[in-house]
Amino acid sequence: MRFSFKLLLLLFPAFLLLSCPCIGTARADDSLLLYSGAGLRQPVEEVVRLFQSETGIKVRIDFAGSGRLMARYLASGKGDVFLPGSHYYVNKLKDKGELTWSRQVVLHVPVVGFPLSGKVKISSFTDLTKPGLKVGLGDPKAMALGRTAEDILTASGLREGVLKNTVVRAATVKQLVLYLLKGNVDAAIVARADVVQKKDKLGMIEIDPSWYKPEIVTAAILKASKQKKKAKKLAVFISSPEAVKVFNRYGFLPVK
């Protein structure tokens, strides 16, 4: 018993170090959680690096389809800044009283993308109805551009013909681009920015602007944020002229 008591005294300080949450992990929650649409990955990563360098504030980024990000936030009740590929999801959270501030950043414009090495020639939107053509579309429940694609199909009057050729519904724009690069599909409705970033391998056809409303990338502060001052700094930075220039370089258009 005497030996055990002495051993306990020796181990007690170590036990305190291991059990006390304030040792070694005190700053683990100081980083901000940014929910970002998957199609924004490259400019967002660059913008966040600039932000961290200028402010010293750490940022964790969760990339996924905008619909999935919204669902994750509502299920977890955790997060600081929301940056979906469409203002639609910002409005959804605003209606639920889950936002405290928002600002438009850039436009997310759709185009028909196709592999430059593809065997099928794509010269117009009507070509998406060619027999045997393999088309990729976004899932409207998972991603902003998927919803836009639905509007485009309806307005074009070619919905049935395009849907007959649709072989895949992707959860993110990046998945659609990957299908194009691998030749799994001959054409897909993707973001202009994604084609610009792969212009050595992908070509694009502009889509009649009367067929859709451009998606507006919007930065918003989440109600659940426990670091609202830091979150405001991040959201303001993402929508600043400096950050918008970064988005422009990646093919995103300025908000008019």
Side-chain angles (χ1 to χ4, degrees):
M1 290 294 292
R2 190 175 300 170
F3 172 80
S4 298
F5 181 71
K6 288 181 178 179
L7 181 61
L8 181 61
L9 289 176
L10 290 172
L11 293 176
F12 188 65
F15 172 76
L16 286 177
L17 288 173
L18 291 172
S19 62
C20 178
C22 60
I23 303 297
T25 60
R27 305 192 64 81
D29 294 330
D30 284 357
S31 61
L32 295 173
L33 174 56
L34 168 63
Y35 292 106
S36 173
L40 312 175
R41 178 182 287 271
Q42 288 179 288
V44 166
E45 287 181 336
E46 184 171 335
V47 168
V48 166
R49 282 196 296 270
L50 290 171
F51 174 76
Q52 292 182 143
S53 177
E54 291 186 17
T55 66
I57 300 173
K58 300 300 181 183
V59 181
R60 292 176 291 126
I61 313 173
D62 185 356
F63 288 109
S66 299
R68 292 188 176 184
L69 291 175
M70 183 174 69
R72 286 179 191 174
Y73 166 68
L74 292 174
S76 67
K78 297 180 180 180
D80 298 289
V81 177
F82 186 43
L83 187 69
S86 169
H87 196 72
Y88 168 83
Y89 296 101
V90 170
N91 286 337
K92 294 282 283 186
L93 286 183
K94 188 178 294 184
D95 290 342
K96 294 177 181 293
E98 291 294 334
L99 300 181
T100 62
W101 183 92
S102 66
R103 180 183 288 172
Q104 296 177 350
V105 184
V106 287
L107 297 181
H108 215 1
V109 179
V111 297
V112 173
F114 57 89
L116 293 174
S117 60
K119 297 179 180 179
V120 182
K121 183 179 180 180
I122 308 294
S123 57
S124 70
F125 191 85
T126 306
D127 288 341
L128 298 187
T129 63
K130 284 182 176 179
L133 191 80
K134 294 180 290 184
V135 176
L137 297 176
D139 181 350
K141 294 182 179 180
M143 58 184 279
L145 201 58
R147 292 179 49 258
T148 303
E150 291 298 306
D151 294 337
I152 292 170
L153 294 185
T154 300
S156 70
L158 300 172
R159 169 179 287 274
E160 294 305 317
V162 176
L163 290 181
K164 283 182 180 180
N165 289 339
T166 301
V167 296
V168 65
R169 288 276 192 172
T172 69
V173 182
K174 295 303 182 186
Q175 288 180 352
L176 281 176
V177 172
L178 187 60
Y179 293 145
L180 287 172
L181 293 173
K182 289 187 174 182
N184 300 128
V185 295
D186 301 307
I189 295 180
V190 293
R192 179 182 184 275
D194 288 290
V195 177
V196 169
Q197 292 165 32
K198 298 289 184 182
K199 59 185 178 182
D200 58 325
K201 296 180 180 179
L202 299 178
M204 66 179 175
I205 300 294
E206 300 286 350
I207 297 174
D208 188 333
S210 67
W211 292 353
Y212 66 91
K213 290 183 178 180
E215 297 288 6
I216 303 175
V217 177
T218 303
I221 299 173
L222 295 166
K223 180 182 177 181
S225 176
K226 295 181 180 179
Q227 305 181 81
K228 286 189 171 59
K229 287 186 177 180
K230 289 183 178 180
K232 181 70 174 289
K233 286 185 178 181
L234 175 59
V236 168
F237 187 86
I238 290 173
S239 57
S240 69
E242 181 181 0
V244 169
K245 286 181 180 179
V246 175
F247 279 97
N248 291 163
R249 283 196 286 102
Y250 284 95
F252 291 88
L253 300 179
V255 177
K256 297 179 181 179

